[in-house]
Amino acid sequence: MALIIIGFFRGLAINTGFVILNLEPAVSYWYKVFNSAISLPLWFIGVAVFVESRRQFQKEFEALFLRSVRKEQTSVDLEKLNPVVDDGELIQHLQSVASGLAYEIEGVLSQPASQMDYAKQSSKIQDLINSELRPASAQLWNGSTLTAPKLSIPTLVRISLLDQKLKVFTASMLFAPYIFIGLNGTLGWRLAAIETLLATCLNILVFLVCESLYKKELLNRRFTNIAIMGLGYVIPILTIVTLLPNRFFWTDSVASVFFYQFFLSVSHICILLGLNLYKLLGQQRSAVLKSFEQIIQGDQVLPVTSADLVAVRDIDLARYLHGELQAGLIATSLLLQRASKTGDTDLARHALRSAANILRQDHARMSQSRISSPQARLEKISTGWRGIAEVRIDLNWIDHLETSVQNDVIALIDEGVSNAIRHAKASVISVSGTREEGVVQLEIRSDGTGMTEQTPGLGTKLFNELTSSYSYSRQGDKNLLTFTVRSTPLQ
């Protein structure tokens, strides 16, 4: 709407210019205003499609780069890397505080049941989460920056315009109204119609001829696309100069014809670029990711520095602290609260032992070690909430994912289940999903109350970084959280 309004005032300015220069307009005053109001947004829409498409592809590129760093990480002794001093002190402090609370809980376990204060221990665990765990994970995550190279515009243009079939039909149909509106504003409808028809037909004709040569394997894809774009400039010029009667064109200056056709051809190529990027984004993402992998694994190998490896280590540690460790402690805290209300001594002792075992762990080492079986890790999530909520996870295909993608999927499930229990007070949660053509679709359904919009935190950051898209909806009395994760593996 803002662009239309700006275009409207631009039209008024154009009319003012006609009056000042004493020019005779070919169309009415208000048609010029309408023409300007409509034509201006078209260009910005094209630019917006390109910019947004590049942003999405950059996100995919960085995800693949992160995956390649993780692969490199497996062959490097992380303990020999030079860690950031502040992070080292941060982990040592967190480890010391957690161990201190574990020691205190073990002392409570040695006391008679009549002297146990379950609510007090639950409060201390929650205080540890709020005052130590969450700030530490946020500091680690926000302070860890990979030096992933930016996907250059020339690379993106090459993938879009030279490696994929051009959407000439769609581009021509979209470009025709713009040509007509623009030309009609100055030349009148007759010449505008002729020029629009000529440009559209010639673009489509050149496309059909070149594609037929490609299908006969006389040209490869790159030369086919170059021919389409090059002949899309040359053929109209030759037609206008040699075949088209002068009365059907607005000027007899050859230089003006060359400049005019150059402007039209560049505009058409820009529309093709935007359409092909949008097409790739929605329909041929796997082809683009394959191109990205070739860039990452090609002769010009992207540099993986020790700083990148340290950043990945800190990101993994932040995920572990925010995910597995926090979820485990929240579960024990909730069990202790239930035991405090019901007086269930056995439940309280079980929760306290679980809390002590979790707190005693070497958290830095745990963040780098993973249970070998993904199914075992999913079972750990289910059993971790036992007594609080029934969590059913059915993902029999997860073993076939690349390890880095497995970790991402499990981290999303861990966070989604935890949110359902903490924020919606869910008691029954089911996790299901599908994997098709390199795309993982996850669904987490839960009962409980509706989840209101929360202040964005590390959970939101996790969703943004690990997924291509995610959404939350309320369906009847159920909550539905969906994730889309790209799972195209590096070879």
Side-chain angles (χ1 to χ4, degrees):
M1 290 302 298
L3 289 171
I4 290 175
I5 292 171
I6 293 172
F8 174 86
F9 285 104
R10 173 175 170 267
L12 296 178
I14 290 173
N15 282 320
T16 302
F18 266 79
V19 173
I20 294 174
L21 297 174
N22 197 28
L23 299 175
E24 185 67 27
V27 294
S28 68
Y29 181 96
W30 288 111
Y31 184 86
K32 280 188 175 296
V33 175
F34 168 79
N35 166 39
S36 180
I38 295 300
S39 62
L40 186 65
L42 290 178
W43 284 107
F44 281 90
I45 290 171
V47 172
V49 168
F50 176 80
V51 171
E52 179 63 14
S53 299
R54 181 175 182 241
R55 187 188 70 82
Q56 289 290 340
F57 282 129
Q58 179 65 33
K59 181 180 177 182
E60 300 285 358
F61 185 66
E62 290 176 352
L64 281 175
F65 181 75
L66 176 61
R67 201 171 301 169
S68 69
V69 175
R70 291 189 191 283
K71 283 184 172 291
E72 180 72 16
Q73 188 186 44
T74 60
S75 62
V76 176
D77 186 356
L78 292 176
E79 293 183 355
K80 293 181 179 180
L81 296 175
N82 294 324
V84 180
V85 175
D86 291 343
D87 288 354
E89 294 177 350
L90 176 69
I91 297 307
Q92 291 177 10
H93 172 72
L94 180 62
Q95 192 76 53
S96 174
V97 174
S99 298
L101 182 56
Y103 180 79
E104 180 180 333
I105 290 174
E106 288 171 350
V108 172
L109 282 169
S110 65
Q111 297 176 359
S114 59
Q115 297 181 13
M116 288 185 178
D117 188 345
Y118 311 140
K120 180 180 179 181
Q121 298 307 314
S122 173
S123 177
K124 287 189 175 183
I125 292 173
Q126 195 60 51
D127 286 343
L128 176 68
I129 294 172
N130 294 331
S131 62
E132 300 288 349
L133 195 55
R134 287 176 179 167
S137 56
Q139 182 175 333
L140 283 167
W141 204 329
N142 295 330
S144 302
T145 304
L146 283 175
T147 58
K150 294 296 182 182
L151 184 63
S152 67
I153 291 179
T155 299
L156 201 55
V157 170
R158 175 183 61 78
I159 294 173
S160 176
L161 291 183
L162 300 181
D163 296 347
Q164 308 296 325
K165 183 179 180 180
L166 297 174
K167 295 181 71 66
V168 172
F169 277 100
T170 306
S172 297
M173 293 301 102
L174 290 175
F175 197 37
Y178 178 79
I179 300 175
F180 181 80
I181 291 174
L183 292 177
N184 192 27
T186 55
L187 305 177
W189 71 268
R190 182 171 175 271
L191 287 178
I194 292 173
E195 289 299 310
T196 300
L197 186 63
L198 179 66
T200 303
C201 291
L202 288 178
N203 280 330
I204 293 176
L205 179 62
V206 167
F207 171 74
L208 292 175
V209 172
C210 293
E211 281 297 317
S212 66
L213 295 176
Y214 172 75
K215 290 178 181 179
K216 293 177 181 179
E217 298 183 351
L218 297 176
L219 295 175
N220 61 25
R221 171 51 61 194
R222 177 164 294 192
F223 281 107
T224 299
N225 290 6
I226 292 174
I228 290 172
M229 291 183 286
L231 292 176
Y233 174 66
V234 174
I235 297 298
I237 285 180
L238 295 178
T239 302
I240 294 170
V241 173
T242 61
L243 299 177
L244 194 68
N246 289 338
R247 68 180 184 276
F248 289 150
F249 202 71
W250 56 274
T251 179
D252 57 0
S253 169
V254 176
S256 297
V257 171
F258 274 80
F259 176 78
Y260 167 78
Q261 188 55 44
F262 178 78
F263 172 77
L264 285 186
S265 296
V266 170
S267 301
H268 188 249
I269 290 173
C270 288
I271 292 179
L272 283 173
L273 176 61
L275 286 173
N276 260 41
L277 282 176
Y278 187 75
K279 170 191 172 185
L280 290 171
L281 192 63
Q283 300 176 3
Q284 298 188 18
R285 187 183 296 264
S286 60
V288 180
L289 295 184
K290 185 176 180 180
S291 298
F292 288 173
E293 290 173 10
Q294 292 172 354
I295 294 172
I296 291 176
Q297 298 178 333
D299 296 333
Q300 296 180 347
V301 180
L302 296 175
V304 178
T305 65
S306 60
D308 290 326
L309 296 174
V310 171
V312 170
R313 180 203 63 188
D314 289 348
I315 290 172
D316 286 341
L317 179 54
R319 285 188 189 178
Y320 166 77
L321 296 178
H322 181 74
E324 293 179 40
L325 181 59
Q326 180 175 257
L329 291 177
I330 289 174
T332 59
S333 177
L334 292 175
L335 287 175
L336 285 171
Q337 291 176 19
R338 179 171 298 180
S340 179
K341 294 177 181 178
T342 61
D344 189 335
T345 304
D346 291 337
L347 178 63
R349 288 186 176 277
H350 166 72
L352 288 172
R353 289 193 190 95
S354 296
N357 290 334
I358 292 171
L359 292 168
R360 272 200 309 264
Q361 294 173 154
D362 184 337
H363 304 306
R365 192 172 297 278
M366 284 295 297
S367 68
Q368 296 300 324
S369 63
R370 291 287 185 261
I371 301 173
S372 58
S373 167
Q375 294 295 342
R377 295 172 62 188
L378 295 177
E379 180 63 23
K380 182 180 177 182
I381 294 175
S382 298
T383 56
W385 295 104
R386 189 168 295 163
I388 300 170
E390 179 185 351
V391 181
R392 298 189 298 268
I393 304 177
D394 180 19
L395 300 176
N396 53 19
W397 40 260
I398 194 171
D399 295 325
H400 303 294
L401 295 177
E402 193 264 339
T403 303
S404 180
V405 182
Q406 288 178 359
N407 291 337
D408 292 347
V409 169
I410 292 173
L412 290 168
I413 293 172
D414 203 354
E415 180 68 17
V417 169
S418 178
N419 284 348
I421 295 171
R422 291 164 52 205
H423 300 306
K425 312 301 180 185
S427 59
V428 178
I429 302 169
S430 64
V431 181
S432 60
T434 59
R435 174 178 176 260
E436 295 179 358
E437 299 181 354
V439 179
V440 171
Q441 297 282 356
L442 289 176
E443 290 188 353
I444 301 179
R445 297 179 183 272
S446 60
D447 60 0
T449 61
M451 288 190 279
T452 58
E453 186 174 348
Q454 304 287 327
T455 302
L458 284 188
T460 303
K461 188 176 179 68
L462 183 80
F463 294 164
N464 286 330
E465 291 187 359
L466 300 190
T467 70
S468 295
S469 63
Y470 69 93
S471 63
Y472 163 77
S473 61
R474 181 75 173 170
Q475 298 186 349
D477 60 347
K478 302 290 185 182
N479 295 307
L480 175 62
L481 185 60
T482 60
F483 301 111
T484 299
V485 181
R486 301 293 168 181
S487 61
T488 304
L490 288 171
Q491 301 300 324

